[in-house]
Amino acid sequence: LALENDLRQAVEAQQFVLYFQPRVDLARGRIVGAEALIRWHHPEKGLVPPAQFIPLAEETGLILPIGDWVIRTVCQQVAQWQRTERHVVPISLNLSAAQFKGGRVLDTLHQAIAQHAVKAKLIELELTESLLMHDPQAAISILSAFRSMGVRLSLDDFGTGYSSLAYLSRFPFDFLKIDRAFVAGVPDNVEDGAIAKVIIALAKQLNLRTVAEGVETEEQLSFLHHLGCDEMQGYLFSKPVPVEQFEQMLREHV
Ligand code: G
Ligand code: G
Ligand code: MN
Ligand code: NA
């Protein structure tokens, strides 16, 4: 309860900050995007990772104002980069089920994109299978609305959720992000390797680009590269970093 009160105050006082984790395209050897990941600057506890407050935010409904903040902040940041940087890459953000339900996120996103005059193709939304499969028909219509806005869509944590291959082909995604649970096992774990291989082959058939998450070693990189994985994200390249540090990386590696 103490934490819940703190979190309410955090929303009021906007004690949040975004970190950015670069995404790399192996064929081009460049940073081709980044994932925005929220942290909470708690007045006493310091920097609190999302795993410690996103579940509480979801239970209490605070995820709605927090999610709106994330959307607006990402749009504002990308718009600023459009003005100041030579190269700007798409930035992805994570959505929770409650934001998705009822289509609230459509309004917030539409407004933020218009207000900041950000190019929609520079914004990417990450959604999980479980979030979509709760009501697949509704999901298809919301995803189609995102599509018309011109933002990019990625299916996050793929392979761990409640998947339906039947729906996978009907959801209009651009990217499929392979959950780091499988990436962690390759190349030594034969089963994880087999799963990674099948996911990448499936994605190719469906015309989706693949992103491996949680890539930590050269061995994982080369294994996934040989399977035809398009992009990678993980500690091997960089952990999530504060905005200034990400800008520095962009200027050096785009
Ligand atoms: O940054 P970190 O690796 O600790 O993220 C842990 C989890 O928190 C991830 O599953 C990530 O998707 C989630 N997360 C991070 N930022 C956000 C956010 O802005 N909104 C939502 N809904 N989840 C987030
Ligand atoms: O669920 P989602 O994919 O949004 O989660 C992203 C989370 O993965 C973040 O908490 C991020 O800090 C974490 N992460 C990113 N790269 C790595 C990595 O190489 N290894 C591990 N263990 N975690 C990672
Ligand atoms: Mn994610
Ligand atoms: Na993920």
Side-chain angles (χ1 to χ4, degrees), residues 116 129 132 145 154 177 213 229 232 238 240:
H116 298 289
E129 302 161 84
L132 300 166
S154 63
K177 298 188 83 173
E213 305 188 288
C229 182
M232 301 192 187
S238 170

Side-chain angles (χ1 to χ4, degrees), residues 12 34 38 85 93 97 99 103 108 111 135 140 165 182 221 229:
E12 299 267 308
I38 195 170
E85 301 298 309
L93 60 92
Q99 291 176 270
T108 308
Q111 272 186 24
D135 185 350
I140 289 175
L165 294 183
F182 307 115
L221 180 156
C229 182

Side-chain angles (χ1 to χ4, degrees), residues 35 37 94 126 156-157 177 213:
E35 178 173 2
L37 295 152
N94 293 281
E126 299 198 5
D156 200 8
D157 299 343
K177 298 188 83 173
E213 305 188 288

Side-chain angles (χ1 to χ4, degrees), residues 65-101:
I66 294 173
D68 285 352
W69 179 87
V70 170
I71 292 169
R72 290 195 306 262
T73 306
V74 165
C75 288
Q76 189 179 21
Q77 180 63 71
V78 172
Q80 187 196 312
W81 285 331
Q82 283 176 183
R83 294 189 297 269
T84 61
E85 301 298 309
R86 245 152 57 86
H87 299 287
V88 187
V89 296
I91 301 297
S92 69
L93 60 92
N94 293 281
L95 292 180
S96 289
Q99 291 176 270
F100 199 66
K101 236 169 55 186

Side-chain angles (χ1 to χ4, degrees), residues 30-203:
R30 291 175 169 184
I31 296 176
V32 289
E35 178 173 2
L37 295 152
I38 195 170
R39 274 94 179 90
W40 174 11
H41 243 303
H42 190 284
E44 287 121 39
K45 295 191 172 78
L47 214 55
V48 183
Q52 286 174 33
F53 70 92
I54 291 288
L56 178 64
E58 288 174 338
E59 279 168 38
T60 55
L62 288 169
I63 193 66
L64 294 176
I66 294 173
D68 285 352
W69 179 87
V70 170
I71 292 169
R72 290 195 306 262
T73 306
V74 165
C75 288
Q76 189 179 21
Q77 180 63 71
V78 172
Q80 187 196 312
W81 285 331
Q82 283 176 183
R83 294 189 297 269
T84 61
E85 301 298 309
R86 245 152 57 86
H87 299 287
V88 187
V89 296
I91 301 297
S92 69
L93 60 92
N94 293 281
L95 292 180
S96 289
Q99 291 176 270
F100 199 66
K101 236 169 55 186
R104 171 187 180 117
V105 64
L106 287 172
D107 295 336
T108 308
L109 190 63
H110 190 80
Q111 272 186 24
I113 286 177
Q115 184 190 340
H116 298 289
V118 53
K119 293 187 183 116
K121 64 177 186 192
L122 293 175
I123 304 296
E124 181 177 321
L125 307 176
E126 299 198 5
L127 305 125
T128 63
E129 302 161 84
S130 329
L131 178 155
L132 300 166
M133 290 311 296
H134 181 70
D135 185 350
Q137 282 307 328
I140 289 175
S141 84
I142 298 181
L143 291 177
S144 307
F146 283 139
R147 245 278 131 68
S148 326
M149 291 171 63
V151 299
R152 313 202 305 182
L153 299 173
S154 63
L155 186 51
D156 200 8
D157 299 343
F158 187 75
T160 55
Y162 166 31
S163 323
S164 159
L165 294 183
Y167 275 108
L168 186 55
S169 64
R170 299 179 54 198
F171 293 142
F173 282 104
D174 305 289
F175 296 90
L176 189 156
K177 298 188 83 173
I178 306 166
D179 194 84
R180 65 183 139 96
F182 307 115
V183 173
V186 305
D188 297 335
N189 184 302
V190 178
E191 287 81 16
D192 287 348
I195 292 170
K197 183 173 178 178
V198 167
I199 292 177
I200 292 165
L202 173 70

